[in-house]
Amino acid sequence: MPTYEYRCRHCSHRFELFQSIVEEPVKICPKCETEAVERLMGAGAGLIFKGSGFYITDYKNKKQSSPDKKKPSNQ
Ligand SMILES: [Zn+2]
């Protein structure tokens, strides 16, 4: 079961919730009780923040599969 991360646009309160994928997203903020909660896409957001992982993969690929066509900026 995935953990979903929510954030309230009203008070910026962030919280996580264990939910089944079929459950409806939470809308009401538990803190300020305003209906201003948005669900942050867990996996997607994580991916963006872990940009370094991306870089490493990219680097590996580059090393294995030859020339730098794409990035002449290397070095
Ligand atoms: Zn709130």
Side-chain angles (χ1 to χ4, degrees):
M1 205 143 75
T3 306
Y4 292 105
E5 199 174 0
Y6 290 89
R7 192 189 61 191
C8 173
R9 286 191 298 257
H10 185 69
C11 69
S12 295
H13 178 55
R14 285 175 77 143
F15 58 101
E16 288 177 353
L17 225 56
F18 242 176
Q19 274 190 312
S20 151
I21 202 153
V22 294
E23 272 182 78
E24 291 199 10
V26 172
K27 289 192 180 113
I28 311 289
C29 172
K31 198 174 178 188
C32 68
E33 297 183 335
T34 303
E35 195 177 320
V37 170
E38 62 183 358
R39 185 153 84 183
L40 309 173
M41 293 316 288
L47 250 169
I48 291 166
F49 281 118
K50 285 172 188 167
S52 57
F54 242 116
Y55 178 76
I56 288 164
T57 311
D58 195 51
Y59 182 71
K60 246 185 188 167
N61 274 346
K62 209 171 175 183
K63 224 174 160 188
Q64 283 173 355
S65 69
S66 62
D68 349 63
K69 286 189 217 167
K70 282 183 189 171
K71 291 178 188 171
S73 61
N74 191 29
Q75 241 186 339

Coordinates of all heavy atoms in Angstrom, one line a residue:
M1 N 0.9 -1.2 0.0 CA 0.0 0.0 0.0 C 0.9 1.2 0.0 O 1.8 1.4 0.8 CB -0.9 0.0 1.2 CG -2.1 0.8 1.0 SD -3.6 0.0 1.8 CE -3.3 0.4 3.5
P2 N 0.6 2.1 -0.9 CA 1.5 3.3 -1.0 C 1.2 4.4 0.1 O 0.1 4.4 0.6 CB 1.2 3.8 -2.4 CG -0.2 3.3 -2.7 CD -0.4 2.1 -1.9
T3 N 2.2 5.1 0.3 CA 2.0 6.2 1.2 C 1.9 7.5 0.3 O 2.7 7.7 -0.6 CB 3.3 6.4 2.1 OG1 3.5 5.2 2.8 CG2 3.1 7.6 3.1
Y4 N 0.9 8.2 0.6 CA 0.7 9.4 -0.1 C 1.0 10.6 0.7 O 0.8 10.7 1.9 CB -0.8 9.5 -0.5 CG -1.2 8.5 -1.6 CD1 -2.0 7.4 -1.2 CD2 -0.8 8.6 -2.9 CE1 -2.3 6.5 -2.1 CE2 -1.1 7.7 -3.8 CZ -1.9 6.6 -3.4 OH -2.3 5.7 -4.3
E5 N 1.6 11.5 0.0 CA 1.9 12.8 0.7 C 1.0 13.9 0.3 O 0.7 14.1 -0.9 CB 3.4 13.1 0.3 CG 4.0 14.1 1.3 CD 5.5 14.4 1.0 OE1 6.0 13.8 0.0 OE2 6.0 15.1 1.7
Y6 N 0.5 14.6 1.3 CA -0.4 15.6 1.0 C 0.1 17.0 1.5 O 0.9 17.0 2.5 CB -1.7 15.4 1.8 CG -2.5 14.3 1.2 CD1 -2.3 13.0 1.7 CD2 -3.5 14.5 0.2 CE1 -3.1 11.9 1.1 CE2 -4.2 13.5 -0.3 CZ -4.0 12.2 0.2 OH -4.7 11.1 -0.3
R7 N -0.3 18.0 0.9 CA 0.1 19.3 1.4 C -1.1 20.2 1.3 O -1.9 20.2 0.4 CB 1.2 19.9 0.6 CG 1.8 21.1 1.2 CD 2.7 21.8 0.3 NE 2.0 22.3 -0.9 CZ 2.6 22.7 -2.0 NH1 3.9 22.8 -2.1 NH2 1.9 23.2 -3.0
C8 N -1.3 21.0 2.4 CA -2.4 21.9 2.4 C -1.9 23.3 1.8 O -0.9 23.8 2.3 CB -2.8 22.1 3.9 SG -4.0 23.4 4.1
R9 N -2.7 23.7 0.9 CA -2.3 25.0 0.3 C -2.6 26.2 1.2 O -2.2 27.3 1.0 CB -3.1 25.1 -1.0 CG -2.6 24.3 -2.1 CD -3.2 24.7 -3.4 NE -4.6 24.5 -3.4 CZ -5.3 23.5 -4.0 NH1 -4.6 22.6 -4.6 NH2 -6.6 23.3 -3.9
H10 N -3.5 25.9 2.1 CA -3.9 27.0 3.0 C -2.9 27.3 4.1 O -2.5 28.4 4.3 CB -5.3 26.6 3.6 CG -5.9 27.7 4.4 ND1 -6.3 28.9 3.9 CD2 -6.0 27.8 5.8 CE1 -6.8 29.6 4.8 NE2 -6.6 29.0 6.0
C11 N -2.5 26.2 4.8 CA -1.6 26.5 5.9 C -0.2 25.8 5.7 O 0.6 25.8 6.6 CB -2.2 26.0 7.2 SG -2.3 24.2 7.3
S12 N 0.0 25.2 4.6 CA 1.3 24.6 4.2 C 1.6 23.4 5.0 O 2.7 22.9 5.1 CB 2.4 25.6 4.3 OG 2.3 26.6 3.4
H13 N 0.6 22.9 5.7 CA 0.8 21.7 6.5 C 1.0 20.5 5.6 O 0.3 20.3 4.7 CB -0.4 21.4 7.4 CG -0.3 20.2 8.2 ND1 0.7 19.9 9.1 CD2 -1.2 19.1 8.3 CE1 0.5 18.8 9.7 NE2 -0.6 18.3 9.2
R14 N 2.0 19.7 5.9 CA 2.3 18.5 5.1 C 2.1 17.3 5.9 O 2.5 17.2 7.1 CB 3.7 18.6 4.6 CG 3.9 19.5 3.4 CD 5.3 19.6 3.0 NE 5.7 18.5 2.2 CZ 6.5 18.5 1.1 NH1 7.0 19.7 0.8 NH2 6.8 17.5 0.5
F15 N 1.5 16.3 5.4 CA 1.3 15.0 6.1 C 1.3 13.9 5.1 O 1.1 14.0 3.9 CB 0.1 15.1 6.9 CG -1.2 15.4 6.1 CD1 -2.0 14.4 5.8 CD2 -1.5 16.7 5.7 CE1 -3.2 14.6 5.1 CE2 -2.6 16.9 5.0 CZ -3.5 15.9 4.7
E16 N 1.5 12.7 5.7 CA 1.5 11.5 4.9 C 0.4 10.6 5.3 O 0.0 10.6 6.5 CB 2.9 10.8 5.0 CG 4.0 11.5 4.3 CD 5.3 10.8 4.5 OE1 5.3 9.8 5.3 OE2 6.2 11.2 3.9
L17 N -0.1 9.8 4.4 CA -1.2 9.0 4.7 C -1.0 7.6 4.0 O -0.6 7.6 2.8 CB -2.5 9.7 4.2 CG -3.7 9.6 5.1 CD1 -3.3 10.3 6.4 CD2 -4.8 10.4 4.5
F18 N -1.3 6.6 4.7 CA -1.3 5.3 4.2 C -2.6 5.0 3.5 O -3.6 5.0 4.2 CB -1.1 4.3 5.3 CG 0.1 3.4 5.2 CD1 0.4 2.6 6.2 CD2 0.9 3.5 4.1 CE1 1.5 1.8 6.1 CE2 2.1 2.7 4.0 CZ 2.3 1.8 5.0
Q19 N -2.7 4.9 2.2 CA -4.0 4.7 1.6 C -3.9 3.7 0.5 O -2.9 3.5 -0.2 CB -4.4 6.0 1.0 CG -5.1 6.9 1.9 CD -5.7 8.1 1.1 OE1 -5.0 8.7 0.3 NE2 -7.0 8.3 1.3
S20 N -5.0 3.0 0.3 CA -5.1 2.1 -0.8 C -5.3 3.0 -2.0 O -5.7 4.2 -2.0 CB -6.3 1.2 -0.7 OG -6.9 0.9 -1.9
I21 N -4.9 2.5 -3.2 CA -4.8 3.3 -4.4 C -6.2 3.6 -4.8 O -6.5 4.6 -5.6 CB -4.1 2.5 -5.5 CG1 -3.6 3.5 -6.5 CG2 -4.9 1.4 -6.1 CD1 -2.3 3.0 -7.2
V22 N -7.2 2.9 -4.4 CA -8.6 3.1 -4.8 C -9.3 4.1 -3.8 O -10.4 4.5 -4.1 CB -9.4 1.8 -4.9 CG1 -8.9 1.0 -6.0 CG2 -9.4 1.1 -3.6
E23 N -8.7 4.4 -2.7 CA -9.3 5.3 -1.8 C -9.3 6.7 -2.4 O -8.4 7.1 -3.1 CB -8.6 5.3 -0.5 CG -9.1 4.3 0.5 CD -8.4 4.3 1.8 OE1 -8.8 5.2 2.6 OE2 -7.5 3.5 2.0
E24 N -10.3 7.5 -2.0 CA -10.4 8.8 -2.5 C -9.3 9.7 -1.8 O -9.1 9.5 -0.6 CB -11.8 9.4 -2.2 CG -12.8 8.7 -3.0 CD -14.0 9.6 -3.1 OE1 -14.0 10.8 -2.7 OE2 -15.1 9.1 -3.6
P25 N -8.8 10.6 -2.5 CA -7.8 11.5 -1.9 C -8.4 12.4 -0.8 O -9.6 12.7 -0.9 CB -7.3 12.4 -3.1 CG -7.9 11.8 -4.3 CD -9.0 10.8 -3.9
V26 N -7.6 12.7 0.1 CA -8.1 13.5 1.2 C -8.2 15.0 0.7 O -7.4 15.4 -0.1 CB -7.1 13.5 2.4 CG1 -7.4 14.5 3.4 CG2 -7.0 12.1 3.0
K27 N -9.2 15.6 1.2 CA -9.4 17.0 0.7 C -9.3 18.0 1.9 O -8.9 19.1 1.7 CB -10.7 17.1 0.0 CG -10.8 16.5 -1.3 CD -12.0 16.9 -2.0 CE -12.1 16.2 -3.4 NZ -13.2 15.3 -3.5
I28 N -9.7 17.5 3.0 CA -9.7 18.4 4.2 C -8.4 18.4 5.0 O -8.0 17.3 5.4 CB -10.9 18.1 5.1 CG1 -12.2 17.9 4.3 CG2 -11.0 19.1 6.2 CD1 -12.7 19.2 3.8
C29 N -7.8 19.5 5.2 CA -6.6 19.5 6.0 C -6.9 19.2 7.5 O -7.8 19.8 8.0 CB -6.0 20.9 5.9 SG -4.6 21.2 7.0
P30 N -6.2 18.3 8.1 CA -6.4 17.9 9.5 C -6.0 19.0 10.4 O -6.4 19.0 11.6 CB -5.6 16.7 9.7 CG -4.5 16.8 8.6 CD -5.1 17.5 7.5
K31 N -5.3 20.0 10.0 CA -4.8 21.0 10.8 C -5.7 22.2 10.8 O -6.2 22.7 11.9 CB -3.4 21.4 10.4 CG -2.6 22.1 11.5 CD -1.2 22.4 11.0 CE -0.4 23.2 12.1 NZ 0.9 23.6 11.6
C32 N -5.9 22.7 9.7 CA -6.7 24.0 9.6 C -8.2 23.7 9.1 O -9.0 24.6 9.1 CB -6.1 25.0 8.7 SG -6.1 24.5 7.0
E33 N -8.4 22.4 8.8 CA -9.7 22.0 8.4 C -10.3 22.8 7.2 O -11.5 23.0 7.1 CB -10.7 22.0 9.6 CG -10.3 21.1 10.6 CD -11.2 21.0 11.8 OE1 -11.9 22.0 12.0 OE2 -11.3 20.0 12.5
T34 N -9.4 23.2 6.3 CA -9.8 23.8 5.1 C -9.7 22.8 4.0 O -8.9 22.0 3.9 CB -8.9 25.0 4.8 OG1 -8.9 25.9 5.9 CG2 -9.3 25.8 3.6
E35 N -10.6 23.0 3.0 CA -10.6 22.1 1.9 C -9.6 22.6 0.9 O -10.0 23.1 -0.2 CB -12.0 21.9 1.3 CG -12.0 20.7 0.4 CD -13.5 20.5 -0.2 OE1 -14.4 20.7 0.6 OE2 -13.6 20.2 -1.4
A36 N -8.3 22.4 1.2 CA -7.3 23.0 0.3 C -6.1 22.0 0.2 O -5.0 22.4 0.0 CB -6.9 24.3 0.8
V37 N -6.4 20.8 0.4 CA -5.3 19.8 0.4 C -5.1 19.2 -1.0 O -6.0 18.9 -1.7 CB -5.7 18.6 1.4 CG1 -4.7 17.5 1.2 CG2 -5.6 19.2 2.8
E38 N -3.8 19.2 -1.4 CA -3.5 18.5 -2.6 C -2.6 17.4 -2.4 O -1.8 17.4 -1.5 CB -2.9 19.6 -3.6 CG -1.6 20.1 -3.1 CD -1.0 21.1 -4.0 OE1 -1.7 21.4 -5.1 OE2 0.0 21.7 -3.7
R39 N -2.7 16.4 -3.2 CA -1.9 15.2 -3.1 C -0.6 15.4 -3.9 O -0.7 15.7 -5.1 CB -2.7 14.0 -3.6 CG -1.9 12.7 -3.3 CD -2.8 11.5 -3.1 NE -3.1 11.0 -4.4 CZ -4.0 10.0 -4.6 NH1 -4.6 9.4 -3.5 NH2 -4.3 9.5 -5.7
L40 N 0.5 15.2 -3.3 CA 1.7 15.3 -4.0 C 2.0 13.9 -4.5 O 1.8 12.9 -3.8 CB 2.8 15.7 -3.0 CG 2.6 17.0 -2.2 CD1 3.7 17.1 -1.2 CD2 2.5 18.2 -3.1
M41 N 2.3 13.8 -5.7 CA 2.5 12.5 -6.3 C 3.8 11.9 -5.8 O 4.9 12.3 -6.3 CB 2.5 12.6 -7.9 CG 1.2 13.0 -8.4 SD -0.2 12.1 -7.6 CE 0.1 10.5 -8.3
G42 N 3.7 11.0 -4.9 CA 4.8 10.5 -4.2 C 6.0 10.1 -5.1 O 7.1 10.7 -5.0
A43 N 5.8 9.1 -5.9 CA 6.9 8.7 -6.7 C 7.4 9.8 -7.6 O 8.6 10.0 -7.8 CB 6.4 7.5 -7.6
G44 N 6.5 10.5 -8.3 CA 6.9 11.5 -9.2 C 7.8 12.6 -8.5 O 8.9 12.9 -9.0
A45 N 7.3 13.0 -7.4 CA 8.0 14.1 -6.7 C 9.4 13.6 -6.2 O 10.4 14.3 -6.3 CB 7.2 14.5 -5.5
G46 N 9.4 12.4 -5.8 CA 10.7 11.8 -5.3 C 11.7 11.8 -6.4 O 12.8 12.1 -6.2
L47 N 11.2 11.4 -7.6 CA 12.1 11.4 -8.7 C 12.7 12.7 -9.0 O 13.9 12.8 -9.3 CB 11.3 10.9 -10.0 CG 11.6 9.5 -10.4 CD1 10.6 9.1 -11.5 CD2 13.0 9.5 -11.1
I48 N 11.9 13.7 -9.0 CA 12.4 15.0 -9.3 C 13.5 15.5 -8.2 O 14.5 16.0 -8.6 CB 11.3 16.1 -9.3 CG1 10.4 15.8 -10.5 CG2 11.8 17.5 -9.4 CD1 9.1 16.5 -10.4
F49 N 13.2 15.2 -7.0 CA 14.1 15.6 -5.9 C 15.4 14.8 -6.0 O 16.4 15.3 -5.6 CB 13.4 15.5 -4.6 CG 12.5 16.6 -4.3 CD1 11.2 16.4 -4.1 CD2 13.0 17.9 -4.3 CE1 10.3 17.4 -3.9 CE2 12.1 18.9 -4.0 CZ 10.8 18.7 -3.8
K50 N 15.3 13.6 -6.4 CA 16.5 12.8 -6.5 C 17.2 12.9 -7.9 O 17.4 12.0 -8.6 CB 16.2 11.3 -6.2 CG 16.0 11.1 -4.7 CD 15.5 9.7 -4.4 CE 15.0 9.6 -3.0 NZ 14.3 8.4 -2.7
G51 N 17.4 14.1 -8.2 CA 17.9 14.4 -9.5 C 19.3 13.8 -9.7 O 19.8 13.5 -10.8
S52 N 20.0 13.6 -8.6 CA 21.4 13.1 -8.7 C 21.4 11.7 -9.2 O 22.3 11.3 -9.9 CB 22.0 13.1 -7.3 OG 21.2 12.4 -6.4
G53 N 20.3 10.9 -8.9 CA 20.2 9.6 -9.4 C 20.2 9.6 -10.9 O 20.8 8.8 -11.6
F54 N 19.4 10.5 -11.4 CA 19.4 10.7 -12.8 C 20.7 11.0 -13.4 O 21.1 10.4 -14.4 CB 18.6 12.0 -13.1 CG 17.3 11.7 -13.9 CD1 16.1 11.9 -13.3 CD2 17.4 11.2 -15.2 CE1 14.9 11.7 -14.0 CE2 16.3 11.0 -15.9 CZ 15.0 11.2 -15.3
Y55 N 21.4 11.8 -12.8 CA 22.8 12.2 -13.3 C 23.7 11.0 -13.4 O 24.4 10.7 -14.3 CB 23.3 13.2 -12.4 CG 24.7 13.6 -12.8 CD1 24.9 14.5 -13.9 CD2 25.8 13.2 -12.1 CE1 26.2 14.8 -14.2 CE2 27.1 13.5 -12.5 CZ 27.3 14.3 -13.5 OH 28.5 14.7 -13.9
I56 N 23.6 10.2 -12.3 CA 24.5 9.0 -12.2 C 24.2 8.0 -13.4 O 25.1 7.5 -14.1 CB 24.3 8.3 -10.9 CG1 25.0 9.1 -9.8 CG2 25.0 6.9 -10.9 CD1 24.6 8.8 -8.4
T57 N 22.9 7.8 -13.6 CA 22.5 6.9 -14.7 C 23.0 7.5 -16.0 O 23.5 6.8 -16.8 CB 20.9 6.9 -14.7 OG1 20.4 6.6 -13.5 CG2 20.5 5.8 -15.7
D58 N 22.8 8.7 -16.1 CA 23.2 9.4 -17.4 C 24.7 9.2 -17.6 O 25.2 8.9 -18.7 CB 22.9 10.9 -17.2 CG 23.0 11.6 -18.6 OD1 22.3 11.0 -19.5 OD2 23.7 12.6 -18.7
Y59 N 25.4 9.4 -16.5 CA 26.9 9.3 -16.6 C 27.3 7.9 -17.0 O 28.1 7.7 -17.8 CB 27.4 9.6 -15.2 CG 28.9 9.6 -15.2 CD1 29.7 10.6 -15.8 CD2 29.6 8.6 -14.5 CE1 31.0 10.6 -15.8 CE2 31.0 8.6 -14.4 CZ 31.7 9.6 -15.1 OH 33.0 9.5 -15.0
K60 N 26.6 6.9 -16.4 CA 26.9 5.5 -16.7 C 26.7 5.2 -18.2 O 27.5 4.6 -18.8 CB 26.0 4.6 -15.8 CG 26.7 3.8 -14.8 CD 25.8 2.9 -14.1 CE 26.4 2.2 -13.0 NZ 25.3 1.5 -12.1
N61 N 25.5 5.6 -18.6 CA 25.2 5.4 -20.0 C 26.3 5.9 -20.9 O 26.7 5.3 -21.9 CB 23.9 6.1 -20.3 CG 22.7 5.1 -20.0 OD1 22.9 4.0 -19.8 ND2 21.5 5.7 -19.9
K62 N 26.7 7.1 -20.6 CA 27.6 7.8 -21.4 C 28.9 7.0 -21.5 O 29.5 6.9 -22.5 CB 27.9 9.1 -20.8 CG 28.2 10.2 -21.8 CD 28.3 11.5 -21.0 CE 28.7 12.6 -21.9 NZ 28.8 13.9 -21.2
K63 N 29.3 6.5 -20.3 CA 30.5 5.8 -20.3 C 30.5 4.5 -21.1 O 31.4 4.2 -21.8 CB 30.8 5.4 -18.8 CG 32.2 5.7 -18.4 CD 32.3 5.4 -16.9 CE 33.8 5.1 -16.5 NZ 33.9 4.7 -15.1
Q64 N 29.4 3.8 -21.0 CA 29.3 2.6 -21.7 C 29.1 2.8 -23.2 O 29.8 2.2 -24.0 CB 28.0 1.8 -21.2 CG 28.4 1.1 -19.9 CD 27.1 0.5 -19.3 OE1 26.0 0.7 -19.9 NE2 27.2 -0.2 -18.2
S65 N 28.2 3.7 -23.5 CA 27.8 3.8 -24.9 C 28.5 5.1 -25.5 O 27.9 6.1 -25.7 CB 26.3 3.9 -25.1 OG 25.8 5.1 -24.6
S66 N 29.7 5.0 -25.7 CA 30.5 5.9 -26.5 C 30.3 7.4 -26.5 O 29.7 7.9 -25.5 CB 30.6 5.4 -27.9 OG 29.3 5.3 -28.5
P67 N 30.6 8.0 -27.6 CA 30.9 9.4 -27.7 C 29.9 10.4 -27.1 O 28.8 10.1 -26.9 CB 31.0 9.7 -29.2 CG 30.6 8.4 -29.9 CD 30.5 7.4 -28.9
D68 N 30.4 11.6 -26.8 CA 29.5 12.6 -26.4 C 29.0 13.4 -27.5 O 29.6 14.4 -28.0 CB 30.2 13.6 -25.4 CG 31.6 13.1 -25.0 OD1 32.4 13.0 -25.9 OD2 31.8 12.9 -23.8
K69 N 27.9 12.9 -28.0 CA 27.2 13.7 -29.0 C 26.4 14.8 -28.4 O 26.3 15.9 -28.9 CB 26.2 12.8 -29.7 CG 26.9 11.8 -30.7 CD 25.8 11.1 -31.5 CE 26.1 9.7 -31.7 NZ 24.9 9.0 -32.3
K70 N 25.9 14.4 -27.2 CA 24.9 15.3 -26.6 C 25.5 16.5 -25.8 O 25.1 17.6 -26.0 CB 24.0 14.5 -25.6 CG 23.0 13.7 -26.3 CD 22.1 13.0 -25.3 CE 21.2 12.0 -26.0 NZ 20.5 11.2 -25.0
K71 N 26.5 16.1 -25.0 CA 27.0 17.2 -24.1 C 28.5 17.5 -24.4 O 29.3 16.9 -23.8 CB 26.8 16.8 -22.7 CG 25.3 16.7 -22.3 CD 25.2 16.3 -20.9 CE 23.7 16.0 -20.5 NZ 23.6 15.4 -19.2
P72 N 28.7 18.4 -25.2 CA 30.1 18.9 -25.4 C 30.6 19.6 -24.2 O 31.8 19.9 -24.0 CB 30.0 19.8 -26.6 CG 28.6 20.1 -26.7 CD 27.7 19.1 -25.9
S73 N 29.7 19.9 -23.2 CA 30.0 20.7 -22.1 C 30.8 19.9 -21.1 O 31.3 20.4 -20.1 CB 28.8 21.3 -21.4 OG 28.0 20.2 -21.0
N74 N 30.9 18.6 -21.3 CA 31.7 17.8 -20.3 C 33.1 18.2 -20.3 O 33.8 18.1 -21.3 CB 31.5 16.3 -20.8 CG 32.0 15.4 -19.7 OD1 32.0 15.7 -18.5 ND2 32.5 14.2 -20.1
Q75 N 33.6 18.5 -19.1 CA 34.9 19.1 -18.9 C 35.1 20.4 -19.5 O 35.5 20.6 -20.7 CB 35.9 18.1 -19.5 CG 36.8 17.7 -18.4 CD 38.0 16.9 -18.9 OE1 38.0 16.3 -20.0 NE2 39.0 16.8 -18.1
Ligands
ZN1 ZN -4.2 23.4 6.4

